[in-house]
Amino acid sequence: MKQGILFALVGGGLAVVAALAVVRGNAAERVRGEPAAMATTQATSQPAGGTVEKLVLSPEQWKKRLTPEQYRILRDHGTEAPFTGPYHDFKGREGTFECVGCGLELFRAEEKFDSGTGWPSFWTPFAKGHVVEVADTSYGMTRTEVRCAKCDGHLGHVFEDGPKPTGLRYCINGYTLKMR
């Protein structure tokens, strides 16, 4: 396991936050051809289709845009109870799941699978750079958090117990998604 430094926006400036940057062996390089992300909230991702423009809103603007449950999960890093959110049992094979906060394409319906966990699960993101992975050491655990690259909203976590071809399971809160 490699360690690093995570940068965060605090009070209008960058601050260094002590954290572990979890690199899942060579999984990040093997699957996506890039190291696991240690992102700042100002970083600009470079997906295959071009630059992802950042969307920065005040808490008040987010509260007008989102339902209270969407806000709690997306902006306050909450988690919906298993088997309660939308899309956990979605079986369709066409369409794209977008971020409910900003509309960025996150996952394809055909890359969704039933993980049995009660949350929508995907084996790969929509495009390189549309999600950002950061270390999450909350609750005494070390996990890899998944965030939207455009609005920095909390989506869920990624685990190494998914199906082939990646072996990854992007476990995503359904309230952070909308279908297109």
Side-chain angles (χ1 to χ4, degrees):
M1 181 181 301
K2 296 181 182 178
Q3 296 183 20
I5 298 173
L6 181 65
F7 294 90
L9 282 176
V10 178
L14 280 177
V16 178
V17 179
L20 288 176
V22 179
V23 177
R24 297 180 307 268
N26 280 340
E29 290 86 358
R30 182 180 70 247
V31 175
R32 290 176 293 288
E34 61 182 305
M38 289 181 14
T40 70
T41 54
Q42 290 182 327
T44 301
S45 300
Q46 295 289 331
T51 301
V52 172
E53 295 290 328
K54 291 294 184 177
L55 174 64
V56 180
L57 300 175
S58 69
E60 294 75 28
Q61 291 170 310
W62 282 116
K63 287 178 182 176
K64 288 179 183 176
R65 181 180 278 226
L66 303 170
T67 68
E69 184 68 352
Q70 290 168 337
Y71 183 90
R72 182 184 72 79
I73 297 167
L74 201 66
R75 307 314 309 166
D76 287 339
H77 300 264
T79 301
E80 66 201 26
F83 303 101
T84 63
Y87 308 118
H88 77 275
D89 60 354
F90 174 81
K91 303 274 193 273
R93 290 288 146 222
E94 292 185 18
T96 302
F97 291 94
E98 298 177 343
C99 177
V100 73
C102 67
L104 182 66
E105 300 93 348
L106 298 172
F107 301 97
R108 289 182 185 86
E110 63 264 18
E111 294 160 346
K112 183 181 182 299
F113 68 97
D114 184 1
S115 65
T117 62
W119 291 281
S121 297
F122 304 87
W123 54 268
T124 192
F126 180 85
K128 179 180 174 179
H130 280 220
V131 298
V132 176
E133 297 177 10
V134 295
D136 177 359
T137 58
S138 61
Y139 304 108
M141 298 181 277
T142 299
R143 303 177 288 174
T144 303
E145 179 186 7
V146 179
R147 294 184 189 172
C148 174
K150 183 173 182 176
C151 71
D152 200 39
H154 169 75
L155 303 171
H157 293 85
V158 62
F159 303 96
E160 291 186 329
D161 59 1
K164 292 181 179 181
T166 66
L168 298 176
R169 172 174 54 98
Y170 287 83
C171 187
I172 306 299
N173 289 287
Y175 283 107
T176 66
L177 303 172
K178 65 181 177 181
M179 190 72 183
R180 177 180 59 120

